[in-house]
Amino acid sequence: MKEKKTIVLASPRGPCAGVNRALEIIEEVLRRFGTPLYVNHDLVHNQHVVNTLRERGVLFSKDLDAIPNRSIYLFSAHGVSPKFRQEAEKRNLILIDATCPLVTKVHIEAARLTKTGHFLFFIGHRGHPEVEGTTGVAEMRLIESVSDVKALSAQDVPEGKPIAVLTQTTLSVRETEEILTALKRLFPEIVLPSKKDICYATTNRQKATEELAKQCDSILVVGSKHSSNSNRLRETAENVGVRALLVDFPKDIPDDFLQEAQRIGITSGASVPEILVQNVIDHILQKFPKTEVQNLSVLEENVRFPLPKFPT
Ligand code: SF4
């Protein structure tokens, strides 16, 4: 067992501007209107956040027919397709949109490129709510991997149409670059995302995790299993060659993982409240009281998004 341990905390980590905005919106709505309050999907992909909201009376449902008239209905940070939005607008509901502005930016770009006659590829993970929302904006072909690009043939793209590609906001920067390179090789004229669609928070957390992994022998990523950006942080650390574990709570950390570790790097996904990171730190300190805690600041972040207008 390695007795003398060090915890290294990556910065930036944890909540991004889009998640903070969604949480501020729901707090304000709860303050003004109370419950019941409905959300179309997990407001953000974090088990603790969603369970806490449930305990406070927030209900989650995509089934618009099941939402009572005059209810307040929130769209989650992942965004919704125009079709879903229109369906919701037809009902007697009070709609509040917590879609992250950076997701909305990709929706706007998809609509613009379609209007200018482009055939669209979209790099993302099938079934993720953000992907369902964005691919509902316009017709586009989903690409999940370099193998998907290799499987493409000339017939998959309409002749004579310009081609463009957009991406989900929470992908692995490295893998996405590989897919973009493969697409560019196949379609040299393809229009690549003007500013990378992978958002600043995803990019910054991956950069910080890469640096962290270079300095540690074990990495704990605090985040939920269904959180795309948290999974990408675990992969980022693994790609550096260190073992990494994605955990929601201290109980998810096997004792032997800590016993074997000497320098434990900790980071967290973009939807993870800092209290969950603190709980993991406390758990390690309780087991190994001599552990030293250090910070590793890789980048500064100062992004904030304005709140929408609330109904009166
Ligand atoms: Fe917005 Fe990026 Fe946060 Fe997603 S991870 S909510 S796109 S800032």
Side-chain angles (χ1 to χ4, degrees), residues 16-19 77 100-103 130 169-170 197 199-202 229 270 305:
C16 59
V19 164
C100 175
L102 299 182
V103 174
E130 182 190 325
T169 56
T170 51
D197 294 337
C199 79
Y200 83 93
T202 301
N229 79 83
F305 297 134

Side-chain angles (χ1 to χ4, degrees), residues 26 37-44 53 58-63 67 72-77 84 96 98:
I26 203 160
L37 162 64
Y38 294 83
V39 187
N40 70 303
H41 179 82
D42 290 359
L43 182 72
V44 300
L53 289 172
V58 177
L59 298 154
F60 296 86
S61 176
K62 262 203 255 194
D63 181 2
I67 315 293
I72 298 184
Y73 193 58
L74 240 85
F75 297 141
S76 78
F84 188 84
I96 300 176

Side-chain angles (χ1 to χ4, degrees), residues 9 68 113 204 277 307 311:
L9 295 169
L113 286 162
N204 290 353
V277 173
L307 298 184

Side-chain angles (χ1 to χ4, degrees), residues 11-49:
S11 176
R13 65 174 180 277
C16 59
V19 164
N20 281 334
R21 178 177 179 272
L23 294 174
E24 282 175 46
I25 290 173
I26 203 160
E27 284 305 329
E28 185 59 22
V29 174
L30 282 168
R31 193 185 67 77
R32 287 182 187 222
F33 306 103
T35 54
L37 162 64
Y38 294 83
V39 187
N40 70 303
H41 179 82
D42 290 359
L43 182 72
V44 300
H45 274 163
N46 183 266
Q47 228 189 91
H48 168 81
V49 172

Side-chain angles (χ1 to χ4, degrees), residues 125-292:
H125 298 296
R126 193 179 300 279
H128 189 280
E130 182 190 325
V131 175
E132 284 173 8
T134 308
T135 54
V137 171
E139 209 181 316
M140 50 186 98
R141 167 96 182 222
L142 185 64
I143 298 283
E144 293 190 272
S145 61
V146 171
S147 342
D148 285 354
V149 179
K150 286 186 181 150
L152 288 171
S153 66
Q155 290 93 310
D156 288 318
V157 175
E159 220 184 315
K161 265 201 163 193
I163 308 165
V165 55
L166 297 170
T167 85
Q168 190 181 334
T169 56
T170 51
L171 299 177
S172 149
V173 173
R174 202 181 79 154
E175 267 178 43
T176 306
E177 267 164 17
E178 285 168 12
I179 299 174
L180 289 173
T181 305
L183 277 171
K184 184 86 181 156
R185 205 174 296 131
L186 200 60
F187 307 106
E189 306 300 324
I190 195 167
V191 178
L192 299 177
S194 50
K195 268 197 222 158
K196 283 189 187 143
D197 294 337
I198 297 177
C199 79
Y200 83 93
T202 301
T203 308
N204 290 353
R205 277 150 194 69
Q206 286 177 24
K207 263 189 201 147
T209 303
E210 195 174 339
E211 288 311 309
L212 185 73
K214 286 179 191 162
Q215 301 188 18
C216 297
D217 54 71
S218 309
I219 298 291
L220 289 172
V221 178
V222 185
S224 291
K225 301 272 177 289
H226 59 312
S227 158
S228 173
N229 79 83
S230 302
N231 275 293
R232 304 297 81 79
L233 295 182
R234 178 184 48 77
E235 288 166 7
T236 301
E238 285 169 351
N239 286 336
V240 174
V242 297
R243 61 195 189 135
L245 212 58
L246 181 60
V247 296
D248 264 302
F249 306 108
K251 68 174 173 52
D252 303 331
I253 312 169
D255 280 347
D256 57 354
F257 183 92
L258 293 179
Q259 274 160 7
E260 287 304 310
Q262 195 159 11
R263 283 180 70 80
I264 309 163
I266 300 183
T267 184
S268 56
S271 46
V272 179
E274 185 60 14
I275 181 74
L276 299 185
V277 173
Q278 195 52 54
N279 290 345
V280 167
I281 298 169
D282 291 346
H283 172 77
I284 299 171
L285 290 176
Q286 208 174 19
K287 287 200 167 279
F288 303 97
K290 290 184 191 152
T291 303
E292 190 190 329

